[in-house]
Each structure stands twice: as C-alpha cells, then as structure tokens.
C-alpha cells in the first residue's frame, strides 16, 4: 500500500494531522500525538503568542514530539486579520506553511469563501504555502487553486460538531473534479468510521482536533483514528466492488448437489 503523503514538496508517512487544542492536560496531548503516529500538528498563534510561561511550555512540548507544525489563523473573520495573523505565525514558528481560516458565521464556523480566496492570493504571492479551510464548492476550489493553493481542505461538517461527512456526494464530486490535487478533510469528524469513509472516497488525509481532544479517552481515540485512516486508504486503493440492488451469490451454483 502506498504510504507517501506529499504536501508542498514534503513527504510524510502518516495521513493524519492532529490539532492541539482542548486536551485535558499537556501529558494527554503528548500521548495522543504519539498514539496517532501523526507527523503534522496544527497550532493556533493565539496559544503561543504573548511570551507567557504557559505559551513557552506549550511550544517546548510540541518541539519534543518531533512533528511538523502547521500554524493556523483560527478565529479570524477578515482578510486583514487572517493575513496579519499568518505573517506573525511565520515569524513565531519559522515556517511558510499556514492553515488559512477566515470564518463568516460564529454558529457554524463556516468559511467566508470570498475572503478566503482573497487572503489565499495575498499569502501565496508573499511566499506562503497555504492550506485553505474551505467548503466542497467546486467554483471556490477552482479559485483557490488559481490563487496559488496547491492543496484543498474541505470541511466534513462544522468544526467540532462530530457529524461526520454532511455531504458525501459533494465531497465525492470534488475529489473527482480535481483528481491530481491533494485533498484533506478538515473538521466535523466525530468517529474513526467517519475518517475511514473519507479515505474510501479517495481523500489523501484527515485533519481533526475535537474528536480526539474531547473524547473520553483521547489517547485511545487517536489510535483508533490512525487505524481507520489506514484501513480507509487500503479500501480505496483496493478498488471496492460497486453496490448492487440484488444479491449476487458468492458460491457458484454450478457443481452444487441437487436432490
């Protein structure tokens, strides 16, 4: 089974990306990262900013995990705010990677796709490698690629909702429309089965936070997601059978004994 997972020229073995917020303790966060076997974690600048002791301790913990850091612009509601946050994150974390979030609605945390495209273009021209949190809208996807994004991160469902894939048809269509673009399902998953389904649709990876951080046993849930992603990827590559309306016997009738 193929394991290479390449994002902006960097190759990883794990297809799971893990958020670092809302864990019950730093120790649980560290053990969850290890259990997930992820090689990329997302970090909000708001957690790290300010130079406080808590921020320094958190950053040291992340460094100890030997993982790549994907800063994000969580909580931003405008192009200016997102761009400024991304520029500060580049200075703090020393990376051109940025998970770009521009939120339009506080209840659903739905992306503001108009501002998202504008901000993506500004950041790409400034040398950023943008990971855009978007919807499954095909026209928005096309504009993000034109703006300079080399990958897409459509939501499965609203952030933290745990609903899984709200629109499998739309996600399947998006995957088919851009077959050569790396795509990561970002947000809304609640159980490992949701991740397996996304991978069976042909998505390249999964980014999640709440489903692990707020689980009764985050470490065990992180392990479960890791297994589900591997299983879903194997199922996709194996070329599963098409669903049928009628039964098809698995044992041939020819040669069967009759009385």
């Amino acid at each position: 089974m193929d394991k290479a997972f390449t994002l902006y020229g960097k190759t990883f073995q794990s297809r799971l990306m893990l958020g670092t917020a809302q864990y019950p303790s730093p120790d649980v966060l560290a053990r969850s990262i290890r259990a997930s076997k992820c090689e990329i974690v997302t970090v909000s600048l708001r957690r790290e900013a300010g130079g406080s002791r808590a921020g320094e301790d958190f950053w040291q913990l992340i460094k100890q995990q030997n993982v790549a850091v994907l800063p994000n612009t969580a909580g931003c509601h405008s192009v200016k705010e997102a761009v400024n946050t991304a520029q500060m994150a580049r200075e703090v974390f020393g990376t051109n990677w940025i998970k770009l979030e521009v939120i339009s609605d506080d209840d659903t945390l739905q992306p503001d796709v108009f501002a998202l495209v504008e901000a993506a273009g500004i950041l790409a021209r400034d040398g950023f490698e943008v990971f855009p949190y978007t919807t499954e809208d095909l026209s928005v996807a096309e504009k993000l690629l034109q703006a300079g994004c080399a990958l897409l991160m459509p939501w499965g469902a609203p952030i933290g909702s745990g609903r899984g894939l709200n629109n499998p048809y739309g996600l399947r269509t998006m995957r088919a429309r851009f077959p050569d673009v790396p795509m990561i399902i970002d947000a809304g998953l609640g159980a490992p089965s949701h991740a397996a389904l996304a991978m069976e649709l042909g998505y390249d990876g999964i980014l999640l936070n709440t489903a692990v951080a707020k689980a009764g046993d985050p470490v065990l849930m992180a392990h479960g997601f890791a297994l589900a992603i591997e299983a879903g990827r194997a199922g996709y590559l194996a070329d599963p059978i098409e669903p049928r309306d009628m039964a098809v016997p698995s044992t041939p009738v020819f040669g069967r004994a009759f009385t």
Side-chain angles (χ1 to χ4, degrees):
M1 185 177 73
D2 73 330
K3 290 190 176 182
F5 181 42
T6 302
L7 303 171
Y8 285 108
K10 298 179 181 179
T11 300
F12 303 89
Q13 298 302 308
S14 171
R15 293 173 179 269
L16 174 59
M17 305 161 70
L18 204 60
T20 55
Q22 304 184 67
Y23 288 81
S25 71
D27 176 66
V28 171
L29 168 59
R31 290 193 291 122
S32 297
I33 292 173
R34 292 193 293 269
S36 74
K37 298 183 180 179
C38 74
E39 297 169 272
I40 302 170
V41 298
T42 62
V43 176
S44 171
L45 180 66
R46 296 164 191 268
R47 268 189 82 97
E48 179 59 25
S52 67
R53 181 56 186 269
E56 292 175 4
D57 290 346
F58 173 77
W59 184 221
Q60 289 302 316
L61 182 149
I62 295 300
K63 286 181 177 179
Q64 292 168 7
Q65 306 313 309
N66 193 30
V67 291
V69 172
L70 174 60
N72 66 50
T73 63
C76 292
H77 288 75
S78 70
V79 172
K80 182 178 181 180
E81 187 181 10
V83 169
N84 287 345
T85 301
Q87 291 170 340
M88 288 188 290
R90 179 159 61 182
E91 293 183 13
V92 171
F93 299 107
T95 178
N96 286 324
W97 277 15
I98 192 71
K99 181 193 171 190
L100 181 60
E101 297 183 27
V102 188
I103 302 302
S104 68
D105 179 76
D106 287 331
D107 289 330
T108 65
L109 299 180
Q110 178 171 314
D112 180 338
V113 295
F114 302 102
L116 178 69
V117 171
E118 183 180 349
I122 293 170
L123 292 172
R125 290 190 294 272
D126 192 27
F128 282 89
E129 295 171 328
V130 181
F131 294 63
Y133 163 63
T134 185
T135 66
E136 65 275 23
D137 186 284
L138 299 181
S139 61
V140 174
E142 187 69 54
K143 292 184 183 302
L144 286 168
L145 296 174
Q146 293 171 355
C149 299
L151 57 83
L152 298 169
M153 301 181 71
W155 65 348
I159 293 172
S161 67
R163 295 181 58 86
L165 305 183
N166 268 358
N167 185 7
Y169 169 78
L171 292 170
R172 185 182 295 109
T173 302
M174 189 178 193
R175 175 71 281 179
R177 178 66 63 87
F178 306 101
D180 299 322
V181 176
M183 291 192 189
I184 300 162
I185 293 294
D186 177 17
L189 305 190
S193 57
H194 299 157
L197 176 57
M199 298 302 291
E200 288 171 4
L201 292 178
Y203 278 79
D204 299 287
I206 302 293
L207 193 159
L208 52 85
N209 187 163
T210 309
V212 171
K214 304 298 285 185
D217 186 335
V219 178
L220 186 58
M221 185 63 78
H223 177 61
F225 269 103
L227 295 175
I229 289 170
E230 185 173 344
R233 181 65 178 174
Y236 169 73
L237 293 175
D239 191 15
I241 63 173
E242 292 293 330
R244 299 170 178 263
D245 291 330
M246 301 296 291
V248 178
S250 57
T251 302
V253 176
F254 179 78
R256 190 179 68 179
F258 287 92
T259 56

